[in-house]
Amino acid sequence: MSTLFTKIIDGDLPGRFIWKDDDVVAFLTIAPLTPGHTLVVPREEISAWTDAPPALMARLMEVATAIGNVQQEAFDAERAGLVIAGFEVDHLHLHVFPATSMADFDFTRVDENPEPSSMDEAAAKLRRGLRDAGHDAHVPE
């Protein structure tokens, strides 16, 4: 059975994509820690990060780094946070989000009901920043 993320990747469920390539996609989470919180996900259904081939983990980190750099600029954040949790969906994913303190890493503080317009704005900022950083080929319209 397909995971929730596979259904988003396949277009069966909506997603605010900011990155797509042959191996990896990235889309905004529906419950952000901070505006711009993005999930970096392999297309392949892999349950745990420890089961992923090293080359795929390297690619996930490469994409996460590109997104994190743009998040810092686009959201005026001191750093980009990175968390690999993996309990909420049984499909490997990296949480990448603008962070200004350790409080931004507290998953009990997620926004369970973000405004759709603010989510659309965050996705547009990230797409624009990724294009400006030279990643046009991987940024969906």
Side-chain angles (χ1 to χ4, degrees):
M1 185 161 121
S2 294
T3 69
L4 174 68
F5 290 160
T6 298
K7 291 176 183 176
I8 294 170
I9 292 166
D10 290 346
D12 298 330
L13 293 173
R16 287 179 176 86
F17 288 89
I18 63 164
W19 184 283
K20 289 184 179 181
D21 68 31
D22 291 340
D23 300 311
V24 176
V25 299
F27 48 86
L28 296 189
T29 181
I30 59 170
L33 286 165
T34 59
H37 182 166
T38 300
L39 302 177
V40 179
V41 183
R43 288 181 180 273
E44 181 181 354
E45 288 183 0
I46 297 172
S47 178
W49 72 270
T50 52
D51 295 332
L56 179 58
M57 283 306 297
R59 182 65 182 149
L60 289 166
M61 289 302 295
E62 186 178 0
V63 173
T65 299
I67 291 168
N69 284 330
V70 169
Q71 287 173 335
Q72 287 178 269
E73 178 75 23
F75 297 96
D76 195 29
E78 186 175 332
R79 297 187 185 232
L82 174 69
V83 173
I84 304 173
F87 287 101
E88 57 283 339
V89 177
D90 193 24
H91 190 144
L92 169 61
H93 56 287
L94 283 60
H95 293 262
V96 184
F97 50 94
T100 56
S101 74
M102 285 303 296
D104 292 331
F105 288 75
D106 182 355
F107 279 83
T108 65
R109 296 177 50 185
V110 299
D111 183 352
E112 295 284 351
N113 194 23
E115 284 293 323
S117 61
S118 68
M119 296 287 285
D120 291 340
E121 182 181 321
K125 270 186 178 182
L126 292 170
R127 286 187 204 109
R128 190 169 41 254
L130 286 165
R131 285 187 189 104
D132 290 348
H135 301 288
D136 310 46
H138 304 299
V139 180
E141 291 301 315

